[in-house]
Amino acid sequence: MAKALNASYRRYHPKWHRERVPIFWWVRSASYIKFMCRELTSLFVAYAAGLLLVQVWALGQGAAAHARLLNWLSHPAVVTGHVVLLATLLFHTVTWLNLTPQALVLRLGRWRVPKAVVWVGHYAVWLVLSLVIVWLFVGVA
Amino acid sequence: MNSVAVEVLRYRPETEEEPSFEVFDVPYEDNWMVLDAINHIKDQMDGTLSYRWACRMGVCGSCGMMVNGKPVLTCATYVEDVLPGPVRVEPLRGFPVVRDLVTDIRDFMVKLQRVKPWIIREEEKPLAEGEYLQTPEELQDYKQYSMCINCMLCYAACPIYELDPEFIGPAAIALAQRYNLDSRDQGREERMDVLSQHDGMWGCTFVGDCSVVCPKKVDPAGAIQRYKLDATVDWFRSALMPWRKR
Amino acid sequence: MHTVNHDVLLIGGGGAGLRAAIAVAETNPGLSVAVASKVYPMRSHTVSAEGGAAAVIRPEDSLDEHAYDTISGGDWLCDQDAVEMFVREAPEEMLRMEHWGCPWSRKPDGTIATRPFGGMKTERTWFAADKTGFHMLHTLFQTTLKYPPISRYDEWFVTRLLVEDGRCQGAVAVELATGEVHTILARSVIMCAGGGGKVYPFTTNANIKTGDGMALAYRAGAPLKDMEFVQYHPTGLPFTGILVTEAARAEGGWLVNKDGYRYLQDYDLGTPEPRPVLRSMELGPRDRLSQAFVGELKKGRTVETRYGHVVYLDVRRLGQRVIDEKIPFVRELCLKYEKIDPVKDMIPVRPVVHYMMGGIHTDLQGATSIPGLFAAGEVACVSINGANRLGSNSLTELLVFGARAGKAAARYAAGAPAPSRSVLAQGLQEEARLQKQFLGKRGGRERMADLRKEMQDTMEASAGLYRDGATLKAGTEKVQELKERFCDVVMEDPSLTFNTELQTVLELENLLDVAESVLHSALARRESRGAHQRTDFPERDDQDYLAHSLAYATAEVPRIDYLPVTITRWPAGERVYGRAAAPEKGGK
């Protein structure tokens, strides 16, 4: 029982079907959701960088301006927001560092640096830099 | 004998505007691959089901399909591993669907040719002088990237390719790297010209799913990021030391 | 009807087809080359070949030894002039592959590594881990991309050769994606469509190995040579039939029966040694090893499993490092398809149909009996493989004869007149036939899967490892019946767009022709030689049968003729494996 031919079909010229990509294409898998979150954290990184610049600028404006900024920063809502910010920055950093062994192939002569060493090395550098910054703060305070 | 419901996407462009799902109740045994179930449907239940397959041992790359939303080689996926039913079988994502489970992969063939996947040399060594020497370590440098069976599961897993079909794609870039890193090849510059464009390696945002789904552990994502590092170092070299021959 | 014009048409895009295409493009860049294949070239079955490709490269090796190994391996049915030429051109072709980028495995100093292989006196098998065919095919395919004169027609299924005025002038093909039938006109045609293992139920071959090329040439009037010689590879995985490469034995694997006994020593294949000995035991020729399995089966020393009787291939003694370096694909396949790890368990194996020594009769240039039609690869029979092929000779054969056929076809095309327009009438006829016989067919009672299964079971019973006249005769009658029932086949899919049912039924039509030629050729050959073993004629008969069988298609049963084997320097002798006696060498 032959079915009637489709209106959009021309002999020897079938219409291909292209699946439309939904705007929420990324909710279909855990790895895509994680990817989108990771990418979104870059906005938070941009905000943190901006915040740092604002602090520097405030210092430049004098003690009064700086005191007003610190006042704002101590507001409970702002503190809560910045704790969330810290979490996103940590997420951003950890996902970035975890990808380094896949992206970075280092050679010393013919010897290829093992992935584990690349991974540990990056975390070690991060840890050291963080400690240095913490020490600077403690030192100043 | 057990049986499982298999939901297959059908598309008959001559008589239908849109694809639709059809469910088959397929008997299976513990050693059946999803491909065996699909073959059973075609042989015994509905001869009009169209799909591609050949080697049934995971080396020809023909039988890639989406099973329960994941791109897999149906000849290498046990039915038992995708239970319970219904098992949803769809054509590979990212490519236009021609008919049922068959997609049009010509875009990949064009892109493969663009990356110049052959040995490029300024001067060929005459055959009488024998082989190009290549130590086992030099072979290891590119071996992984040479294992690509062109199954295109990586294209199906890549959201960039789905959103922007201009993107050259994981397998093509991995194959470019296979030749770049081959000690016998001298075509790195030529390929860099092709791949440093906007639809080349820079389209990639390192989602990383391509390497996860690759059945041969080619790691195209790693190949692309390495390529980006190479390209960046290249750029700095040419900017800071323009007199240096690339 | 849509027509396409080229100078040379390649049918088939596997190792031989792609090598031939490159040969045409390099011989005469002014010629336009078309490669028409029913699958994308990288899906061709060359991709599954594992073990390696043979060519003389070591200083202690010699062309004469490679020739002698091949000729004795083929039980003296090889044309010795062809073999001599083959071994001479092999090293250069293999080096050319290396220059094109093929990732051959290397020795620590960077030179090409070789491994021992079955039936070879010296190590001469080049290898790329254990995915040699895969790497060769992808290297060839990627290299063809740099030649502008080569046009590809991917997923075009050739259904008929066009022969007019006594020469081949092209072919008719269905474009699978759209269903449009095209006539491809060409001044010369090279058939490289591979073998036909799918006539058997249990085979290493992919689904696409349906003997299309053999059937097309057969129906066009070219004889099929030595079709009765079908190789059973001794080690295939049970149920799936997936190949476990000979390299596993070459690296030191042992074949043992249910008692853990290396049974090959009971079959005049030598004495067991801890390390592999060339041309002995597990490194004997494939036909003898497969026949030994049948011997064990009869003695009740095989192991019965869910999927039939098996013996075991033990590679545990190689150790994980060697396995992962030399035969990693074998390990992958066992883990996936048998759910065992060869590092710790023995691999269950049994003989499985693997290769057809027979094929379209060609000369040393790849020319068939139809002017303008050439053939190369498994579809052809030159013959260099004789009654039994040695492992690793066929990948090299693709290169040597692909190149030869390419050059010859290029020369022919340059001198041939353009195809005559009268050929187009044949194209229209074929289009009408496809519509009437298949696409427009209504009704029918025979399911093609059932017909195929019956044919395969008949082939296994009648033309298996051991044959006899009565079963062969019954087989020929059964195939005749199946061909009649084929006219009543059910076609459920009337559509034009990627109709794989049409493809399947065309393949079945081809398979039935191949089956017919195998059975009739086997029935006519009343001797045992190499892979053709008859229980009613158990001896080799050089008096009457040192000749190739030629099967010609007729309106009824095929006509079998004979063509004497070309002997140059090695008179027919005894095949000796595993014994200390040095092989007799002819000539200087």
Side-chain angles (χ1 to χ4, degrees), chain C residues 475-531:
Chain C
T476 59
E477 284 157 10
K478 180 72 178 171
V479 168
Q480 182 58 33
E481 176 206 317
L482 288 171
K483 284 179 97 169
E484 282 157 23
R485 283 164 60 192
F486 177 79
C487 301
D488 202 19
V489 74
V490 176
M491 284 289 299
E492 288 175 340
D493 192 353
S495 71
L496 292 170
T497 312
F498 221 100
N499 187 336
T500 51
E501 197 186 44
L502 174 65
Q503 182 181 348
T504 306
V505 81
L506 290 169
E507 289 171 344
L508 181 56
E509 191 180 36
N510 295 334
L511 284 170
L512 286 167
D513 278 337
V514 170
E516 175 185 81
S517 63
V518 171
L519 288 165
H520 281 271
S521 302
L523 184 59
R525 183 175 288 270
R526 289 144 116 164
E527 64 149 1
S528 289
R529 183 187 297 266

Side-chain angles (χ1 to χ4, degrees), chain B residues 10 12-14 29-33 36 39 41-63 75-78 80-81 98-100 102-106 108-109 112-113 116-119 121 124-139 142-143 146-152 175 178-179 182 184 215-216, chain C residues 39-45 47-48 50 57 92-93 95-112 128-129 131 134-135 138-139 141-147 152 154-155 175 177-178 198 203-208 239-243 306-307 325 329 332-333 335-339 447 449-450 452 492-501 504:
Chain B
R10 304 303 303 267
R12 306 169 185 92
E14 289 163 54
E29 297 189 31
D30 64 343
N31 59 351
W32 274 35
M33 296 294 182
D36 293 317
N39 278 340
I41 297 173
K42 185 172 181 72
D43 285 345
Q44 306 298 339
M45 299 166 112
D46 182 353
T48 69
L49 178 60
S50 287
Y51 55 99
R52 291 189 179 111
W53 71 291
C55 74
R56 60 87 169 84
M57 57 193 270
V59 75
C60 73
S62 307
C63 68
C75 72
T77 307
Y78 282 102
E80 291 201 321
D81 289 345
V98 176
R99 163 84 193 270
D100 294 344
V102 177
T103 54
D104 181 39
I105 63 165
R106 284 178 297 183
F108 169 72
M109 303 304 285
L112 177 62
Q113 190 154 17
K116 304 187 200 237
W118 51 79
I119 295 284
R121 285 189 70 86
E124 280 279 346
K125 184 171 171 172
L127 285 176
E129 287 181 25
E131 67 265 45
Y132 293 108
L133 292 180
Q134 183 173 78
T135 63
E137 291 80 35
E138 285 172 332
L139 178 60
Y142 69 91
K143 185 94 191 271
S146 73
M147 302 300 265
C148 175
I149 61 174
N150 300 1
C151 63
M152 279 157 288
L175 282 163
R178 172 254 180 275
Y179 283 95
D182 190 326
R184 301 167 287 188
K216 298 292 158 188
Chain C
V39 292
Y40 277 93
M42 59 279 196
R43 318 297 187 210
S44 306
H45 198 53
V47 83
S48 319
E50 297 174 21
I57 194 181
E92 188 184 302
E93 282 300 323
L95 265 175
R96 197 171 276 119
M97 281 296 291
E98 192 274 329
H99 280 223
W100 284 338
C102 191
W104 297 116
S105 291
R106 306 281 179 152
K107 300 205 282 265
D109 63 358
T111 53
I112 307 266
K131 293 181 86 159
F134 163 79
H135 285 293
H138 280 253
T139 303
F141 176 59
Q142 285 157 18
T143 305
T144 58
L145 295 176
K146 73 176 182 191
Y147 292 90
R152 280 202 338 270
D154 299 319
E155 296 185 323
E175 184 184 351
T178 63
K198 288 304 274 190
T203 169
T204 60
N205 285 192
N207 182 47
I208 52 177
F239 178 65
T240 52
I242 289 173
L243 177 69
R306 223 175 123 183
Y307 306 117
E325 192 194 318
F329 193 38
E332 268 179 55
L333 290 168
L335 283 166
K336 179 108 235 176
Y337 293 95
E338 281 302 314
K339 294 183 176 155
R447 286 203 76 85
D450 295 339
R452 191 171 61 225
E492 288 175 340
D493 192 353
S495 71
L496 292 170
T497 312
F498 221 100
N499 187 336
T500 51
E501 197 186 44
T504 306

Side-chain angles (χ1 to χ4, degrees), chain B residues 155-175:
Chain B
Y155 284 73
C158 177
I160 306 302
Y161 184 67
E162 202 186 348
L163 291 162
D164 174 18
E166 299 271 302
F167 177 45
I168 243 184
I173 305 178
L175 282 163

Side-chain angles (χ1 to χ4, degrees), chain A residues 40-55 69 72-73 77-79 81-86 88-89:
Chain A
L40 276 168
T41 59
S42 53
L43 293 173
F44 293 93
V45 170
Y47 170 83
L51 187 62
L52 192 62
L53 288 171
V54 163
Q55 287 182 291
L69 179 63
W72 179 75
L73 284 172
V78 178
V79 170
H82 284 166
V83 167
V84 172
L85 175 72
L86 182 62
T88 62
L89 294 182

